[in-house]
Amino acid sequence: MEKIEKTDFKYIGNKLLGWYKTNARDLPFRQTKDPYKIWICEIVFQQTRISQGLNHYNNFIERFPDVKTLAEAEENEVLLYWKGLGYYSRAINVHKAAQQIINDYHGVFPSEYEEILKLKGVGKYTAAAVSSICFNGRIPAVDGNFYRVLSRVFANDFDISNSGAFNYFSELAHLILPDNAGDFNQAMMDLGSEICKPRNPLCGECPLNKDCIAFLTHKVSDFPVKTKKVKASGLELKYYFVHRNGKFLIQQRKDDFIWKKLFEFAPEISDELVPFIKSVKTVQHKLTHKNLSIEIYNVEVDSEEAWNNFVSDNDYIISDYESSHQKSFPKPLENYIENYHTAYRIL
Ligand code: SF4
């Protein structure tokens, strides 16, 4: 792993805070430091765009305004209020975590990062966000925005698909982390979504453009570095069934690993498509020499622009149900297309 030099870059974090003071987005959860509301907001917006999830968030908070109300609710009702957000395991987890807070913390939301992390469904990012925003914890809430901004600012070529990326970028984030980590984390969220976007970042408007090495050396498009490899670790595979208006994207396998020359779905998607993930199905499949566990994400792209961007940035073949019969797919993927066609009649 590349070594990070311990130089003080806190002035960069402070610059970002200065920008945030006058440019922070006006969002309802920005008016509170109630850890319950911040926690729900972080979970809701994990895989959902703010514009898409805001009504759901408001409705959820209106019906379940505090930990006690949520803990005492029926699971089915919690699921009902989660409708439209997808990833229902998140709803089940927040319900269980609310009961955990009642039972293990006497109904008081834990204030320590390590304790927040013990809540069902809470990962390091969410724990850092709640701890920093509500309890002044000095912890960067590292997510894809951090990876992108930091790799560009430092022109750092650490591969963000590497399993060590979280720890690496957490260390890098600490170099610029100012005292007010709560605002800093939210500033990074706003900068990443409004200015330092994955595609076509608005460098001219960026508060960090005088410090950003990638920008100053005209290499913004080189960062972040992400190797394009099939995400197959051991016996696990991941696919994204990316579709729009009855068309879906496929490619022919080139490597010798398994299923050589057969067609498959996209093994990865861009950040822009993540909000369009509607569901995931895990399929177990036995080969003579391997037991495969295949996760297939249903990515229903509601935006023509996002679809066009993804299609033009990649070499996938655009297929449909009829033409897919002219090609050979591994059995689990063939079954997926058939089931999808039968269930939804939209292909
Ligand atoms: S200057 Fe451009 S690339 Fe650098 S942080 Fe700002 S928006 Fe991102």
Side-chain angles (χ1 to χ4, degrees), residues 149 152-153 195-196 201-203 206 208-209 212 215 220:
V149 173
R152 286 172 174 171
V153 166
I195 305 285
C196 194
L202 309 176
C203 300
C206 177
L208 308 183
N209 60 13
C212 176
F215 175 64
V220 172

Side-chain angles (χ1 to χ4, degrees), residues 39 43 93-94 96-102 104-105 108-128 130-131:
W39 164 54
I43 301 289
N93 284 339
V94 293
K96 288 199 175 124
Q99 294 171 338
Q100 215 180 331
I101 294 170
I102 297 294
D104 300 351
Y105 299 93
V108 179
F109 205 101
S111 57
E112 296 298 321
Y113 171 80
E114 298 296 341
E115 295 301 314
I116 301 170
L117 205 49
K118 288 180 186 167
L119 298 176
K120 186 85 180 157
V122 170
K124 289 179 180 172
Y125 167 79
T126 304
V130 175
S131 160

Side-chain angles (χ1 to χ4, degrees), residues 73-304:
E74 291 291 328
E75 186 178 85
N76 277 343
E77 194 188 1
V78 179
L79 288 170
L80 195 64
Y81 273 81
W82 207 264
K83 207 170 165 187
L85 287 170
Y87 290 104
Y88 286 95
S89 58
R90 289 184 293 169
I92 294 166
N93 284 339
V94 293
H95 187 220
K96 288 199 175 124
Q99 294 171 338
Q100 215 180 331
I101 294 170
I102 297 294
N103 296 331
D104 300 351
Y105 299 93
H106 310 291
V108 179
F109 205 101
S111 57
E112 296 298 321
Y113 171 80
E114 298 296 341
E115 295 301 314
I116 301 170
L117 205 49
K118 288 180 186 167
L119 298 176
K120 186 85 180 157
V122 170
K124 289 179 180 172
Y125 167 79
T126 304
V130 175
S131 160
S132 64
I133 295 169
C134 309
F135 303 108
N136 296 322
R138 281 205 75 244
I139 307 164
V142 175
D143 67 350
N145 287 316
F146 272 77
Y147 289 6
R148 189 167 63 256
V149 173
L150 291 174
S151 63
R152 286 172 174 171
V153 166
F154 292 104
N156 188 303
D157 62 3
F158 194 93
D159 184 350
I160 63 167
S161 59
N162 183 305
S163 59
F166 180 85
N167 288 341
Y168 185 84
F169 284 100
S170 294
E171 205 181 328
L172 206 51
H174 270 287
L175 297 185
I176 67 168
L177 186 70
D179 290 338
N180 188 343
D183 278 0
F184 170 77
N185 285 331
Q186 296 186 87
M188 199 64 130
M189 189 196 300
D190 283 8
L191 188 82
S193 69
E194 304 292 306
I195 305 285
C196 194
K197 301 187 278 191
R199 295 165 52 85
N200 305 321
L202 309 176
C203 300
E205 300 171 28
C206 177
L208 308 183
N209 60 13
K210 294 201 169 49
D211 311 289
C212 176
I213 300 173
F215 175 64
L216 296 172
T217 56
H218 307 287
K219 289 185 176 163
V220 172
S221 59
D222 291 352
F223 300 97
V225 170
K226 186 179 183 186
T227 53
K228 286 215 163 194
K229 60 187 174 200
V230 176
K231 287 186 179 170
S233 74
L235 305 173
E236 293 177 358
L237 290 176
K238 191 182 278 188
Y239 283 117
Y240 297 88
F241 184 67
V242 180
H243 62 103
R244 174 173 170 75
N245 295 337
K247 309 270 192 229
F248 52 91
L249 303 181
I250 59 172
Q251 67 176 6
Q252 193 164 26
R253 288 186 61 84
K254 294 188 185 77
D255 65 31
D256 287 331
F257 177 49
I258 49 169
W259 297 332
K260 194 177 179 185
K261 295 285 169 81
L262 295 192
F263 285 81
E264 62 179 4
F265 307 151
E268 60 181 13
I269 54 172
S270 62
D271 291 348
E272 193 181 11
L273 290 196
V274 170
F276 300 108
I277 295 175
K278 295 293 190 293
S279 57
V280 60
K281 182 177 178 149
T282 303
V283 182
Q284 307 298 331
H285 187 68
K286 224 171 164 39
L287 296 176
T288 42
H289 54 296
K290 287 185 197 306
N291 289 324
L292 302 179
S293 176
I294 310 163
E295 274 187 343
I296 306 178
Y297 288 80
N298 171 20
V299 188
E300 190 175 347
V301 186
D302 294 327
S303 151
E304 187 175 5

